[in-house]
Amino acid sequence: NSLRGSIPTSLSHLTTLTNLLLLGNSISGTIPSQLGRLTALEILGLFGNLLSGTVPTQLSSLTSLRSLILAGNSLSGTIPSELSLATELQYLRLNGNSLTGTVPTELSNLTNLGIIQVDANSLTGTIPSELCRLSELNTLIADTNALSGSIAGCM
């Protein structure tokens, strides 16, 4: 596709929407915080656009969300620790942005999380050893950052 423009905040009125996939377009602007009202949403895929700004903390209200795919944009700021409130999350792709700060230890509360992909950002600090508590975690990709320290023995 070649969709352009910004994500309309009016999408937040589609309260029964379960999948929102706008992958590989030229959508720009920020991710509207109003998307946090889409409580039935299971998949939010905005990969490969021109999105900027931060990851809205309001996405933590998406308690049915299983996949959050925000890779390949120009998102900045930190990974919100509030994402740990999206308790059904299984797949988290934030790679290929300009995210800074640390990998939040709170992600270890996401007991269903199987894939964490945060490579190609500007993350610092260590990979939290608390992620060892994630019994479903089978993929962690964190290369091409400024991470340091030792790798937890469970990984």
Side-chain angles (χ1 to χ4, degrees):
N1 292 322
S2 55
L3 297 173
R4 286 191 267 292
S6 59
I7 300 171
T9 58
S10 58
L11 283 178
S12 66
H13 300 296
L14 302 173
T15 55
T16 59
L17 189 67
T18 57
N19 299 302
L20 179 57
L21 296 161
L22 299 170
L23 310 173
N25 286 287
S26 296
I27 298 170
S28 58
T30 60
I31 299 170
S33 60
Q34 293 87 342
L35 293 185
R37 297 181 192 152
L38 297 174
T39 55
L41 203 62
E42 296 178 6
I43 300 173
L44 177 57
L46 302 174
F47 172 85
N49 282 289
L50 304 171
L51 295 168
S52 58
T54 60
V55 177
T57 58
Q58 293 83 351
L59 296 183
S60 64
S61 300
L62 301 177
T63 54
S64 298
L65 193 66
R66 290 182 289 112
S67 295
L68 180 59
I69 308 162
L70 304 179
N73 285 289
S74 296
L75 298 173
S76 58
T78 60
I79 299 172
S81 59
E82 293 87 350
L83 286 180
S84 65
L85 300 173
T87 55
E88 295 301 313
L89 200 60
Q90 298 171 7
Y91 187 61
L92 178 61
R93 280 192 66 196
L94 301 173
N95 55 301
N97 283 291
S98 298
L99 297 173
T100 58
T102 61
V103 177
T105 58
E106 292 85 353
L107 293 181
S108 66
N109 296 328
L110 294 169
T111 56
N112 296 312
L113 198 57
I115 297 173
I116 301 173
Q117 194 170 352
V118 294
D119 54 299
N121 280 292
S122 296
L123 299 173
T124 57
T126 61
I127 297 172
S129 61
E130 290 85 353
L131 295 181
C132 291
R133 294 193 299 234
L134 296 174
S135 61
E136 299 298 319
L137 187 64
N138 59 57
T139 304
L140 171 62
I141 304 173
D143 59 284
T144 319
N145 280 293
L147 296 167
S148 60
S150 59
I151 298 171
C154 68
M155 296 187 192

